[in-house]
Amino acid sequence: MNGTPAGYRPDQLATFVWVGQGLLTVVSLWGWTELSDRIRSGEVTADLLRPIHPVTGYLAPDLGRALHGMIFRFLPPLAVGLIFFDLYLPGRWFTVPLFGLSVLLAVVGSLGMRFLVNATAYWLHDARGPIMLWTLAAGMLAGLYFPLRFLPDWLAVTLWVATPFPGLMQTPLDVLVERDPAPLQFGLVALQAVWAAVLLALCALVQRRAERRLVAQGG
């Protein structure tokens, strides 16, 4: 339809772009190398002595970081955008809390993906290659550079179902702009929750396998 590329109205697209930029700091797709750095230095062995699981030990502060980003790096620019741009305002009463839940799941999924990419250092001792591939792929496959709905339907659906990437950015943004009917809104967040749970389970599995062969460099 004219004026609604891929089903987005102009105000929905403006909101998609503006809010997407605000979510960058909250979801934090890039720049996290703490785990791989600790593996390379051998300091990761200290994590195993703590009374909490390493995955939980990284997830908890990441949630705090995301909350800080939401308050200080997301809400103020959003307020400016509402003043100077014609942004889309949700019409369904549940959209805003559903968006909040979707953002929370995106943060969990992002940490899960970053943990898995960093954890390759257990076997490679240098995760810079996987981290570079993650950096190149994450923004595009997550819907940051353009809405995934611009892709052919079969490809967009495949990405949504077969990979966790759309749940990192595309799903929260589509939920906020009410791109889909309400049942599909909830369905996308449910799929996002499934992927978040799968990623955390994979993180725990990889960590357990790594601990079996962990050798601190230098001794």
Side-chain angles (χ1 to χ4, degrees):
M1 295 176 60
N2 292 333
T4 57
Y8 296 98
R9 300 203 313 263
D11 57 342
Q12 290 175 314
L13 278 177
T15 304
F16 191 102
V17 173
W18 191 268
V19 174
Q21 293 300 309
L23 284 180
L24 270 178
T25 303
V26 178
V27 177
S28 186
L29 295 179
W30 310 305
W32 189 76
T33 61
E34 181 178 350
L35 176 58
S36 62
D37 291 341
R38 291 178 67 81
I39 294 171
R40 291 180 64 191
S41 67
E43 295 177 356
V44 71
T45 54
D47 297 338
L48 306 182
L49 302 176
R50 297 173 180 173
I52 59 174
H53 194 279
V55 176
T56 304
Y58 284 108
L59 177 60
D62 201 63
L63 292 174
R65 174 207 55 76
L67 179 60
H68 180 275
M70 179 66 76
I71 295 173
F72 295 102
R73 299 296 297 274
F74 176 81
L75 293 178
L78 180 60
V80 174
L82 288 170
I83 295 173
F84 293 101
F85 295 92
D86 183 20
L87 300 185
Y88 179 81
L89 298 178
R92 302 166 188 163
W93 67 267
F94 54 80
T95 290
V96 172
L98 188 64
F99 170 72
L101 174 60
S102 184
V103 170
L104 173 62
L105 293 172
V107 173
V108 174
S110 173
L111 186 278
M113 292 290 287
R114 286 181 279 124
F115 187 99
L116 291 174
V117 172
N118 275 251
T120 59
Y122 281 120
W123 289 268
L124 301 177
H125 300 294
D126 188 343
R128 284 178 292 183
I131 289 173
M132 184 178 297
L133 290 176
W134 158 255
T135 301
L136 293 173
M140 180 175 296
L141 298 180
L144 174 64
Y145 299 146
F146 58 86
L148 297 179
R149 303 297 183 98
F150 285 2
L151 299 173
D153 289 344
W154 68 268
L155 181 55
V157 171
T158 299
L159 287 174
W160 237 299
V161 175
T163 78
F165 286 102
L168 305 182
M169 294 289 287
Q170 180 79 36
T171 294
L173 294 172
D174 273 355
V175 166
L176 182 63
V177 303
E178 298 177 335
R179 163 63 176 72
D180 303 295
L184 186 52
Q185 258 185 315
F186 282 95
L188 291 176
V189 175
L191 179 59
Q192 192 183 12
V194 169
W195 269 115
V198 168
L199 288 170
L200 289 182
L202 284 175
C203 289
L205 175 62
V206 168
Q207 180 65 29
R208 185 164 61 250
R209 292 290 181 87
E211 289 174 6
R212 294 176 180 175
R213 66 177 306 280
L214 180 63
V215 176
Q217 295 185 21

